[in-house]
Amino acid sequence: MDLLQLLLGVMSGVLVGFTLGLVGGGGSILAVPLMVYVVGVDNPHVAIGTSALAVAANAAMNLGNHSRRGNVRWDCAAVFAAAGVIGAYGGSTLGKAIDGQKLLLLFALLMLVVGALMLRGRGAGGNADVRLDRRTAPRLAGFGGLAGALSGFFGIGGGFLIVPGLIAATRMPMLLAIGSSLVAVTAFGLTTALNYARSGLIDWTLAGVFVGGGLLGGLFGASLATRLSRSRGALNLVFAGLIFAVALYMLVRSTRALLGS
């Protein structure tokens, strides 16, 4: 990897971290297209494996902040993550076996779904005293397994799936769901990254600079988010538009590559 690619890797990490800090869930979905189309990673599988490791590292750092603020329900998050790890391993194994360009095409379609979900409002209600019990445990396991499978297959954090999954299973408030989701994002990302690493599909240097850039961008994004809190709906709209644009670009590029082959 040359100096220009390292520089582009840092800048891409800053952009992902910035969007995560600014608008929350969904920002990490930009990691794979940035690695492929900006940094210039030729192998889509390497981009996915490296992205999974970077997302896991960023989620772990943010988890510490949410934990100190009491925003993590560890018992519920543990069940969700444990079931999801099994799904993530299966999903990432299947993802490695699929042609890289076909995987990028499916990834682009997923981005369209994420963009649509970004346009939906987020409620603030819920039961803050939720605890793990016989009713919530099976729901958490079910939603966790599905979210983990998709996370592993595409090499993404999956927060846009995990947060609503936690809410649907337990009725916990949005803030607790966001904090608790980081347990699963970390676990899913590490599982996917380790699976890809076994096949030599991770660029460790790129992962390092991407994480460093993400940490810096996250600080700026979080700071700006506080100032623009009243404009959160507009920010989500702008970011959803960005996701749609990137998804359409990926659809065109991957379709041309498949037809060319």
Side-chain angles (χ1 to χ4, degrees), residues 73-218:
R73 288 293 178 266
W74 289 99
D75 50 358
C76 295
V79 172
F80 194 100
V85 161
I86 300 172
Y89 183 82
S92 57
T93 300
L94 179 61
K96 289 192 298 182
I98 293 180
D99 175 76
Q101 291 301 326
K102 292 180 180 177
L103 200 54
L104 289 179
L105 180 63
L106 293 173
F107 194 98
L109 295 175
L110 176 70
M111 289 187 73
L112 294 176
V113 175
V114 175
L117 291 175
M118 289 290 295
L119 297 176
R120 297 177 58 186
R122 290 184 169 187
N127 177 20
D129 296 323
V130 65
R131 290 291 182 270
L132 184 67
D133 56 34
R134 293 180 181 179
R135 179 181 61 85
T136 58
R139 295 180 182 179
L140 285 164
F143 281 111
L146 176 60
L150 289 172
S151 175
F153 184 77
F154 290 107
I156 56 175
F160 68 96
L161 291 170
I162 298 169
V163 170
L166 285 167
I167 293 174
T170 66
R171 306 299 180 192
M172 67 173 61
M174 177 63 66
L175 182 60
L176 295 184
I178 291 173
S180 301
S181 74
L182 294 172
V183 177
V185 173
T186 303
F188 298 172
L190 283 177
T191 301
T192 301
L194 289 173
N195 200 355
Y196 272 74
R198 289 175 55 215
S199 304
L201 295 173
I202 288 184
D203 186 323
W204 298 97
T205 303
L206 176 57
V209 299
F210 207 92
V211 170
L215 180 60
L216 180 63

